[in-house]
């Protein structure tokens, strides 16, 4: 199976409150890294939806913009600030 980690969307800047860390997410690969390595909690419903959306984008089952929306919802759930940048 070929994974498309480069599927891109308008950037979302994530600001993590505990470490003042900032991250720009603009591809499915970026989103997967953020969710698996940097996310403050891995048990929220929106977190799980975002993880599934990553897989769905990488396999071509949904559009990248749907993943972007899932990341924003997961950030709200986890208390991560999500700054939405639209081009």
């Amino acid at each position: 199976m070929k994974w498309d980690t480069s599927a891109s969307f308008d950037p979302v800047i994530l600001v993590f409150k505990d470490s003042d860390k900032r991250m720009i997410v603009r591809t499915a690969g970026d989103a997967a890294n953020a969710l698996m390595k940097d996310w403050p909690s891995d048990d929220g419903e929106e977190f799980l939806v975002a993880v599934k959306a990553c897989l769905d984008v990488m396999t071509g089952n949904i559009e990248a913009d749907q993943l972007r929306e899932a990341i924003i919802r997961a950030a709200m759930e986890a208390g991560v600030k999500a700054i939405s940048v639209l081009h």
Side-chain angles (χ1 to χ4, degrees):
M1 170 180 281
K2 183 180 176 217
W3 295 87
D4 182 10
T5 60
S6 66
S8 64
F9 46 85
D10 287 331
V12 176
I13 301 167
L14 300 174
V15 181
F16 296 87
K17 65 180 174 182
D18 292 341
S19 64
D20 290 330
K21 180 177 182 173
R22 289 170 176 77
M23 175 181 287
I24 299 173
V25 177
R26 40 176 90 112
T27 67
D30 293 343
N33 276 334
L35 290 165
M36 295 294 104
K37 294 181 180 177
D38 298 302
W39 219 251
S41 173
D42 64 355
D43 64 352
E45 183 176 330
E46 295 297 340
F47 168 82
L48 296 173
V49 168
V51 170
K52 183 176 181 327
C54 283
L55 291 172
D56 287 344
V57 167
M58 290 179 192
T59 58
N61 292 325
I62 66 170
E63 296 296 319
D65 287 337
Q66 291 173 279
L67 169 56
R68 182 181 189 277
E69 293 302 318
I71 288 290
I72 291 170
R73 288 191 310 272
M76 288 175 27
E77 174 184 72
V80 174
K81 291 182 186 175
I83 302 167
S84 181
V85 179
L86 297 175
H87 288 119

